[in-house]
Amino acid sequence: MIRTLAVVGTGLIGTSLALAAARQGVTVHLMDRDEAAVRTAAALGAGVPGPPSEPVDLAVIAVPPSQVAAVLAQQQALGLAGTYTDVASVKAEPERAVLAGAPDPTRYIGGHPLAGRERSGPLAARVDLFQDRVWVLTPSRLTSRTALDRALALIGLCGAVPLVMQSRAHDDAVALTSHVPHVVASLMAARLRHGTPQAPRLAGQGLRDVTRIAGGDSRLWSDILQANAGAVAGVLTDLQADLGELLVALRDLAGPPGRRSARSMETVVDLLDRGISGLDGIATGHPGHPPRSASVRVRIADRPGELSRLLRATAELGIGPEDAEVRPGTAPHDDLTVRLAVPAAVAGPLLARVTAEGWDAENDGHAAGVPTA
Amino acid sequence: MIRTLAVVGTGLIGTSLALAAARQGVTVHLMDRDEAAVRTAAALGAGVPGPPSEPVDLAVIAVPPSQVAAVLAQQQALGLAGTYTDVASVKAEPERAVLAGAPDPTRYIGGHPLAGRERSGPLAARVDLFQDRVWVLTPSRLTSRTALDRALALIGLCGAVPLVMQSRAHDDAVALTSHVPHVVASLMAARLRHGTPQAPRLAGQGLRDVTRIAGGDSRLWSDILQANAGAVAGVLTDLQADLGELLVALRDLAGPPGRRSARSMETVVDLLDRGISGLDGIATGHPGHPPRSASVRVRIADRPGELSRLLRATAELGIGPEDAEVRPGTAPHDDLTVRLAVPAAVAGPLLARVTAEGWDAENDGHAAGVPTA
């Protein structure tokens, strides 16, 4: 239970969590060395400007990773709060520094809400920034139960999902899922400075997606990369090895056909296939996609537009082309069989719907072998 | 003007353009070595299955880059069409092969519509896939005026925007804007196979965006990378050099603080800044964002929620927090000044709106120095 909160650093993250806490009736005190940032956050309704007159229940140190320990030590010496957490996206180095130098490390628990935007500053804040997002907590060997409970209460106020990890494990994981992706996006975006004048006209959504996160604040991100340099360098070293092999293969494939090694094409295909299988890992982490465990078979006439009509009818039940597989009959103009892989609960309504539209349909049982969405 | 069209290869691209042409009244003949793909495309309403009985106006060879020249030579020998184009995303190598081996290279013009999806096959086709997209044409030194005109007619039927380039210039540009981004996404996605079990829970939208295009068909993409291997290797070599420098810096930053070189942090910041400036190039290619050339200054009371109220009022005019800058007065509880950078045409309506709501506002003239969206 938190009644009073202090936020030190009213940027995007600090202001957003202040807005969420203030909306739930918590008294929030806003602090930042930039006076305009504090007044902007206050004018948005995130709390009252300036430090509290007596210690608050919880203080959130919302500053870059390299400044967490120093700001915490300073505020703890001033008695700002009973317990402290932070929101830096690197956890091992701040924890080490807090254990080494804070007045009372038992009152601190590391935190990292996994939410952000390319834009920074209080004006970019949103009250629902953390809704349904993972918020990691990294208790140290000294963290008190009270510090953990109050951090959990804050996460609850923000509508986020707590995940407790050790700081080192957190840093290894975010090196892979956040910091190296940022570097990769920057490496790619940096190349765009050297294109021909016409190149931007050939830029599509794919390029925009790959490079989008490279737009983040370079001071904040260099701070993050420095604080997690070892783990980031580890992943990038493996990536560098893949890139080196790929380049050998591509240079070979660019040479005269007669001299190419058969292994070069294998190297290229292998990297692309490993990429595809790597995506499986993050796709399965996605909630909200029920498994396509049932299958319905529909016969349609081999007539122009008939398949489109079926797909329009099934779209209302959340079934798209990605769930469909078409099998022609043996002779030309035989009926087509369309097999639809669907969540088990949808099979009944789907059968009813397509039968009502005049198609022949039957439940095909378990959808083994049909790719799931 | 095209009255009859043949599409050889009824995958995503071939079926989509067939749908667009058929909808405009063109008679479309669908061909593919995969009979199920032809019947699926026909059932979607993309045309009639099988080759035409007499030569069509234009044939589109919608097969992977390495097969374009062979399929074109074969179909031209059979007299499929008066003129030919293709849709492969690499243009120099197919052009070279066509000039070397096609029965009549004057009847061929290279083409590349810049549209696609991660999904492939005729079921993924959409009649509006090319709407407002760039469609590159690469006439060779032999291409006839008729071939160019008919390809332009097809582009018009699809609602796309033609862009004429030389095949080599096209390939250099797409190496940078499409092929290297795909490799980079694959390199990143391949690393995800080696994360800890908890890592996927820390995967956010940034990672998903960076890796999304890695999900493309690995056979098609290895074919593309092979056909443009030289240009792709060139860009990747420069990227490899940046990565090498960055790794030296990160390994230094991972070491003990006393021994770190001041230049290491500079190297990291420099790469991130070059990434940010690289994004400018593709952002300026974006239509539909009128310049923020005017500026309106609004005074609001220093009261919780007042700024939110202003932003809600301006949101209806398309003005968001990214257009706002807050300047506090000199004393605490002085009014705040909010400067809104807006398109010139919006300044008047905005002034009227905020004045009607009771705020003090004035036109601030030209928005020099205010960041544009």
Side-chain angles (χ1 to χ4, degrees):
Chain A
M1 179 65 189
I2 308 173
R3 264 172 292 233
T4 53
L5 184 75
V7 174
V8 184
T10 53
L12 165 68
I13 301 290
T15 304
S16 293
L17 69 87
L19 284 169
R23 190 172 61 173
Q24 308 263 358
V26 175
T27 301
V28 182
H29 298 268
L30 304 167
M31 302 158 68
D32 198 299
R33 61 183 181 191
D34 175 2
E35 182 62 20
V38 167
R39 302 225 9 225
T40 299
L44 286 169
V48 294
S53 53
E54 52 188 63
V56 293
D57 296 330
L58 177 67
V60 181
I61 311 297
V63 301
S66 65
Q67 296 164 37
V68 167
V71 172
L72 175 73
Q74 180 192 25
Q75 293 299 338
Q76 207 171 24
L78 294 169
L80 175 66
T83 57
Y84 298 82
T85 188
D86 73 318
V87 295
S89 51
V90 177
K91 301 266 59 89
E93 174 54 26
E95 177 183 289
R96 189 202 58 72
V98 167
L99 290 178
D104 183 357
T106 67
R107 296 171 178 270
Y108 163 76
I109 182 167
H112 176 207
L114 275 92
R117 308 180 68 185
E118 288 76 68
R119 299 186 32 242
S120 54
L123 272 172
R126 284 173 20 187
V127 67
D128 62 351
L129 189 66
F130 309 105
Q131 190 67 46
D132 300 325
R133 297 303 187 94
V134 168
W135 189 316
V136 178
L137 290 177
T138 56
S140 75
R141 56 189 163 79
L142 296 184
T143 296
S144 71
R145 181 61 198 249
T146 308
L148 172 63
D149 287 345
R150 292 193 184 158
L152 286 169
L154 173 65
I155 293 172
L157 291 172
C158 292
V161 181
L163 176 63
V164 175
M165 299 175 77
Q166 289 198 313
S167 58
R168 189 70 260 160
H170 167 274
D171 287 5
D172 286 342
V174 293
L176 181 66
T177 61
S178 170
H179 305 167
V180 170
H182 194 99
V183 167
V184 161
S186 295
L187 286 165
M188 182 66 237
R191 285 298 103 218
L192 299 176
R193 293 154 38 104
H194 306 283
T196 59
Q198 280 179 313
R201 293 206 57 188
L202 303 191
Q205 196 53 45
L207 175 64
R208 286 183 222 285
D209 284 352
V210 170
T211 56
R212 182 180 60 81
I213 56 174
D217 182 332
S218 64
R219 282 167 310 162
L220 174 61
W221 273 94
S222 54
D223 199 279
I224 291 169
L225 294 175
Q226 174 174 34
N228 202 21
V232 172
V235 178
L236 282 176
T237 300
D238 293 338
L239 188 150
Q240 186 186 39
D242 277 348
L243 173 58
E245 277 183 35
L246 181 74
L247 265 171
V248 170
L250 287 173
R251 288 186 191 123
D252 180 54
L253 292 169
R259 296 203 194 154
R260 290 176 196 162
S261 156
R263 291 196 47 195
S264 295
M265 199 61 178
E266 280 170 37
T267 300
V268 175
V269 174
D270 176 60
L271 173 70
L272 297 173
D273 281 339
R274 283 190 288 131
I276 290 168
S277 85
L279 292 182
D280 290 346
I282 53 174
T284 50
H286 241 327
H289 274 285
R292 264 53 179 155
S293 53
S295 169
V296 168
R297 200 190 285 265
V298 187
R299 288 168 69 103
I300 64 170
D302 184 17
R303 202 161 49 210
E306 191 68 1
L307 182 54
S308 304
R309 193 162 76 85
L310 174 65
L311 291 174
R312 274 197 302 276
T314 63
E316 294 165 25
L317 295 161
I319 301 157
E322 64 276 16
D323 304 312
E325 188 189 15
V326 180
R327 295 181 182 169
T330 45
H333 305 299
D334 268 9
D335 284 353
L336 300 176
T337 303
V338 183
R339 200 168 167 224
L340 299 161
V342 299
V346 174
L350 174 62
L351 269 172
R353 176 69 208 262
V354 298
T355 312
E357 296 267 348
W359 286 296
D360 235 23
E362 59 181 347
N363 201 316
D364 196 32
H366 193 270
V370 175
T372 55
Chain B
M1 179 63 188
I2 308 174
R3 264 172 293 234
T4 54
L5 183 75
V7 174
V8 183
T10 53
L12 165 68
I13 301 291
T15 304
S16 293
L17 68 86
L19 283 169
R23 190 172 62 173
Q24 308 263 359
V26 174
T27 301
V28 182
H29 298 269
L30 304 167
M31 302 159 67
D32 198 298
R33 61 182 180 192
D34 175 1
E35 181 63 18
V38 168
R39 300 221 16 221
T40 300
L44 286 169
V48 294
S53 53
E54 52 188 60
V56 291
D57 295 331
L58 177 67
V60 181
I61 311 297
V63 301
S66 65
Q67 297 164 38
V68 167
V71 172
L72 175 74
Q74 180 192 24
Q75 294 298 338
Q76 205 171 25
L78 293 169
L80 175 66
T83 58
Y84 298 82
T85 187
D86 73 319
V87 295
S89 51
V90 177
K91 301 266 61 86
E93 173 54 27
E95 176 182 291
R96 189 202 57 72
V98 167
L99 290 178
D104 184 356
T106 65
R107 295 171 179 270
Y108 163 76
I109 182 166
H112 176 207
L114 275 91
R117 311 180 66 186
E118 288 76 68
R119 299 188 32 243
S120 54
L123 272 171
R126 283 173 21 186
V127 66
D128 62 351
L129 188 66
F130 310 105
Q131 191 66 45
D132 300 325
R133 298 302 187 94
V134 168
W135 190 315
V136 178
L137 290 177
T138 56
S140 76
R141 56 189 163 78
L142 297 184
T143 295
S144 70
R145 180 61 199 248
T146 307
L148 172 64
D149 287 345
R150 291 192 185 161
L152 286 169
L154 173 65
I155 294 172
L157 290 173
C158 292
V161 181
L163 175 63
V164 174
M165 299 175 78
Q166 289 198 313
S167 58
R168 189 69 260 161
H170 166 274
D171 287 5
D172 286 341
V174 291
L176 181 66
T177 61
S178 170
H179 305 167
V180 170
H182 195 98
V183 168
V184 161
S186 295
L187 286 166
M188 182 65 236
R191 285 298 102 220
L192 298 176
R193 292 154 38 102
H194 306 282
T196 59
Q198 281 180 312
R201 293 205 58 190
L202 303 191
Q205 196 54 46
L207 175 64
R208 287 183 220 286
D209 285 353
V210 170
T211 56
R212 183 180 60 81
I213 56 173
D217 182 333
S218 63
R219 283 167 310 164
L220 173 62
W221 274 94
S222 54
D223 199 280
I224 291 169
L225 294 175
Q226 174 174 33
N228 202 21
V232 172
V235 178
L236 282 176
T237 299
D238 293 337
L239 188 150
Q240 187 186 39
D242 277 348
L243 174 58
E245 275 183 36
L246 181 74
L247 265 171
V248 170
L250 286 173
R251 288 187 192 123
D252 179 52
L253 292 170
R259 298 205 192 151
R260 290 176 196 161
S261 156
R263 290 196 47 197
S264 295
M265 199 61 178
E266 281 171 35
T267 300
V268 175
V269 174
D270 176 61
L271 172 70
L272 297 172
D273 281 339
R274 284 190 288 132
I276 291 167
S277 85
L279 291 182
D280 289 348
I282 54 175
T284 50
H286 242 326
H289 275 285
R292 265 54 179 154
S293 54
S295 170
V296 169
R297 201 189 284 265
V298 187
R299 287 169 69 102
I300 65 170
D302 184 18
R303 201 162 50 209
E306 192 69 2
L307 182 54
S308 305
R309 193 163 78 85
L310 174 65
L311 291 174
R312 275 197 302 277
T314 62
E316 294 165 25
L317 294 162
I319 301 157
E322 65 275 14
D323 304 312
E325 188 188 15
V326 180
R327 294 181 182 168
T330 45
H333 305 298
D334 266 11
D335 286 353
L336 299 175
T337 303
V338 183
R339 199 166 168 226
L340 299 161
V342 300
V346 173
L350 174 62
L351 269 172
R353 176 68 207 262
V354 298
T355 313
E357 296 267 348
W359 287 296
D360 235 23
E362 60 181 347
N363 202 317
D364 196 32
H366 193 271
V370 176
T372 56

